[in-house]
Amino acid sequence: THVCFKNSLSLRFHGMISREEADQLLSVAEGSYLIRESQRQPGTYTLALRFGSQTRNFRLYYDGKHFVGEKRFESIHDLVTDGLITLYIETKAAEYIAKMTINPIYEHIGYTTLNREPAHKKHMPTLRDEHDGKESTGEDEVAEKRRSSTLFRHIDINVCEIVGSFSVIFLSATVFQVHTFRGPHWCEYCANFMWGLIAQGVKCADCGLNVHKQCSKMVPNDCKPDLKHVKKVYSCDLTTLVKAHFTKRPMVVDMCIREIESRGLNSEGLYRVSGFSDLIEDVKMAFDRDGEKADISVNMYEDINIITGALKLYFRDLPIPLITYDAYPKFIESAKTADPDEQLEILHEALKLLPPAHCETLRYLMAHLKRVTLHEKENLMSAENLGIVFGPTLMRAPELDAMAALNDIRYQRLVVEMLIKNEDILF
C-alpha cells in the first residue's frame, strides 16, 4: 500500500477546523493525516487519519512524547506510521489473526511441559475512535489519558501465572510487560511476525517469553522463571525468587534466621534494636550480588542487629507483602474478633488465602519468632514486642487511605502476636 504524508509539520497542522473540513482535506490520499484543534474544546488536539476510505479521529496527547494510547513516539510521523501498519494488518489479515493461535508452536519450543487452562485475563479499556461525530468532554479527556491501550486497537493485558518447575504448589501471578523488540521478532506462541515500530508485543519478566498481546491469553500457566531475568534478591517477587532458585523459601530468610539463631537469641532487644543502616545496605547488596554465597558470618558482621535489620528490610522491600493484599482483610478481621476460638478459626481461613510460597515462609518465620520468645528473659522480646516490630513489616494495607492504614497498625501487631503464640496450632 502507498502511504502518503504531507511534507512538513506546518502543512500537517491545521487550526480550528471542523471534522467535515478535515475529511475533505484528507480525502485526496490514503494514509494522509493532519492535526486539528478542537472547536468545542480549544487547547485540545485531534489526529485525523485517512484509512480505508474513511477519516478516523483520535484524541492526541503530548507529555514530552506524542501518544493516543499506550505507545509514545518521538514524532507524529512515527506515531502515524505505526498506526497505519497496525490498521493495515488488522484490517487485511483479520481472519488470519483470529486463527493464528489455533496451532501454536509453544508446546514444542521448550517453555512448557504442562498443559493447563489459560490464565485469567484482565481487560483494559480500549481507545475510542471518535467517528461518532462528538467531541469528548474535559472529563473524558482525563479518562482517556489514563487508558493503557495501544494505538488503534483493542488490548488484552493477560496474566502469566507461575507454576513451579519443581513443585506445582508454588503458583504466582506475573503480568506480561509491554516490550519493544529491536529488529524482526516472531511470536513464541504462534510463530507469526510481531508487527509495529514499537511495543510490538509482551515479554514475561520472569522467563523471557515473547508473544503477541492477543496470544498471551493462550499461554499456559507454566512460566519457568529464568535466573538471567531475575536480576536481584531484594524487591523481587517472593514466589518468583524461590522458583528461580529452586528453594522452598527465599535464601535471605533461611540464611539470616540460621545466623541469628546460632549467635543472637540472647541478644537484648533482638529485632527491636536497629543495626547500622549502611552495613544493612551492604548485606542487601551482598545478597543481590552473590545470592546464597553471600557472607553474613560473624567475621563480616559482628553486630547481630545488622542481620536482623537485613531480614526486616527484605520483608519491607517485597513488592507483594508476605501477608498479601488479597489476604490482608481476613487477617485484620481475625484481630478485630473478641472470641479467642473464633480468632483462630478466622486466622486459619486467612492462611489459606496466601500463596503457598508465602505461607511456607510465614510458617518458618513464625516458628523462629516463637523460639525467640523462649529466650525472653535474656532478649526481653515477647510475642507482643515482636508483633509491634513485625506487624507493619509483614503487612501493608491495600487501601491508599493513610488514616485507615494508620488505624490498622494496632491490628497488624495483634495478628503477628497471635501467629507467634499459636504457631504450633495454625501451621
Side-chain angles (χ1 to χ4, degrees), residues 95-107:
E95 185 177 347
Y96 179 79
I97 291 171
K99 294 179 179 179
M100 69 186 190
T101 59
I102 293 176
N103 296 307
I105 64 163
Y106 179 79
E107 295 171 2

Side-chain angles (χ1 to χ4, degrees), residues 1-2 51 82-94 97:
T1 184
H2 180 66
F51 181 83
D82 185 85
L84 287 171
I85 291 170
T86 301
L87 280 169
Y88 184 83
I89 290 176
E90 293 193 346
T91 300
K92 302 297 183 182
I97 291 171

Side-chain angles (χ1 to χ4, degrees), residues 162-168 170 223-228 230 238-251 254 292 357:
I162 309 300
V163 179
S165 53
F166 65 98
S167 175
V168 177
F170 289 136
C223 173
K224 311 292 191 303
D226 190 327
L227 275 177
K228 70 182 180 183
V230 180
L238 190 150
T239 301
T240 297
L241 185 69
V242 300
K243 282 173 51 59
H245 287 272
F246 295 91
T247 58
K248 293 175 68 175
R249 295 173 297 273
M251 84 280 288
D254 281 9
E292 67 274 5

